[in-house]
Structures are given as structure tokens and as C-alpha cells.
Amino acid sequence: MDRPIVNPGRLHWTGQHWINYIRPPNAGENSAMVSLWHTHYCSAGEGTVAYVLIEHGSSYRRICTDNPDLAAFIRNWMSGRGGMYDMELEVVPAVFTRSGNVLDTPAWTIETADDLVIARWDGLQPPELLDAPGPGLREGWDVFSCLFFARSARIMFNGHLIPGEPFPVDTWKPSIGGERSSCVFALSETFIQAAGQNEGTPIPRRRR
């Protein structure tokens, strides 16, 4: 059956998701993790939320945001996904700045009252286009995303470079196949709930 030009579903979230998970070579644990949701539209409005975990030296675990309502929205949406999304993390105000070019080492700067985090993506591969009408990822959801996987990446915390680099993950096998970099950003990412779908239905699970 042909897909309609006008999707009859309900827009749940659209924006950008920037993921930077690094670890030292041959290590089994991540040294730093940034999961940044730059939101263009959802029921909480727009803005940016970043989950930041630094596990090198003194541990730093925060949810940084310029929109507390959006932080609550992302927290509720991601609940049950595991890892840092189910940790009890302090929410702190932050200012976000994008720098660099999307074709060459883009970066996000996250500045709070006391701390400064800079996450950078490099060695970008050609975009992968994920087009998954339901039930491609999960029954009742239509999902679209432009994925840019990075061969290299870095995270700086308060002027110190955190040791680590991207590592292969197999969590994309069910959708686009193969092992992929742990550092990736998604542009034009859009989640649409099928007509009649419950507003509280959780996100299709993609462990990141």
C-alpha cells in the first residue's frame, strides 16, 4: 500500500540528537558520555537538554538544560531505557553553543555556572538515512532520521581532555545493520505517533 503524503499521526518530537560516548582503547567502560537533545518541537516547546556523565577523575553526572520543562519531557520519554536515563541526576541550568561546520568537526559547548563541557565529532561518514514507518522500529511509530557517524570524537571537561575514543556498537543492527560508531548525531530526527496511539507510549528502544 502506498504511504499517504500527509501523515495522519501526531508529531511527538522533532529535532537533533547528538551522541558522544567515548572510552580508552581496550577499556570496558565509558570514560565520558554526552547525549544532547536539541529540540525544535515537542509538547514542552523547544530548547536543549544534555545528559552528561564524566567518569574520569572526579565523577560528574548532570542533566544540563535551557528549558526545565523540556528536561522533564525527555526524562519521562527516556524512562525505562536504562543506563544514564534511569539515574537520579541533578538538573542544572546551562547555556549551549554550536560551533564548527556540520561537514567538518561540529561541536557543542555546554556551560553551567560552575562547569564547561565541550563535545566534538570528527571524521564524519556520509549520512545514513533511516526511514522507518511503523512497525519498522516499533508498532505504532513512524521514525525518520539523518545519521552522521563519527570515526573520531573528543570530550573536554573544564579544560581537560578526557581520554577516550569512539568504539563500535551493534545496537543499530536491527534498523540499518552492521556495527557503528558510538559517536553519532542525528539531524531532522522525527518521531510520529500513529493515529490513535497513546501519548504515553515509550520511545522505540535504541540503546545508545
Side-chain angles (χ1 to χ4, degrees):
M1 179 182 296
D2 292 337
R3 295 170 61 185
I5 293 177
V6 177
N7 191 309
R10 178 174 181 176
L11 179 60
H12 183 72
W13 182 90
T14 187
Q16 307 170 20
H17 189 190
W18 296 71
I19 301 162
N20 194 324
Y21 292 0
I22 59 173
R23 61 177 58 166
N26 302 317
E29 301 293 334
N30 298 338
S31 53
M33 306 168 70
V34 173
S35 178
L36 184 149
W37 302 79
H38 183 58
T39 300
H40 301 311
Y41 172 87
C42 72
S43 61
E46 59 185 329
T48 307
V49 176
Y51 284 67
V52 180
L53 271 67
I54 307 295
E55 304 293 2
H56 178 76
S58 299
S59 177
Y60 179 87
R61 299 181 173 186
R62 301 286 191 277
I63 297 175
C64 306
T65 188
D66 56 11
N67 180 346
D69 291 339
L70 180 60
F73 173 91
I74 296 294
R75 203 170 198 172
N76 180 67
W77 192 24
M78 294 294 106
S79 178
R81 200 171 178 184
M84 62 182 175
Y85 292 115
D86 287 333
M87 294 179 180
E88 290 297 324
L89 303 178
E90 180 183 358
V91 179
V92 297
V95 175
F96 298 85
T97 306
R98 250 293 309 279
S99 59
N101 188 295
V102 74
L103 300 177
D104 181 25
T105 61
W108 278 96
T109 298
I110 307 165
E111 186 172 5
T112 71
D114 301 311
D115 299 289
L116 181 67
V117 179
I118 302 175
R120 187 178 302 276
W121 292 254
D122 199 357
L124 303 179
Q125 297 178 284
E128 301 267 4
L129 301 181
L130 172 67
D131 188 12
L137 290 181
R138 187 183 178 97
E139 184 71 36
W141 287 85
D142 294 335
V143 184
F144 177 81
S145 188
C146 303
L147 302 167
F148 294 78
F149 292 92
R151 296 186 182 91
S152 61
R154 65 175 59 185
I155 295 175
M156 294 190 68
F157 179 62
N158 290 336
H160 299 286
L161 181 64
I162 304 299
E165 58 190 44
F167 53 92
V169 296
D170 63 4
T171 53
W172 294 94
K173 281 185 177 180
S175 53
I176 60 177
E179 289 192 337
R180 307 284 172 163
S181 171
S182 61
C183 296
V184 57
F185 57 88
L187 303 182
S188 303
E189 187 154 89
T190 301
F191 290 85
I192 298 172
Q193 294 173 314
Q197 186 78 0
N198 190 311
E199 175 67 23
T201 302
I203 186 175
R205 284 182 179 260
R206 287 182 307 180
R207 295 172 298 156
R208 291 177 173 174

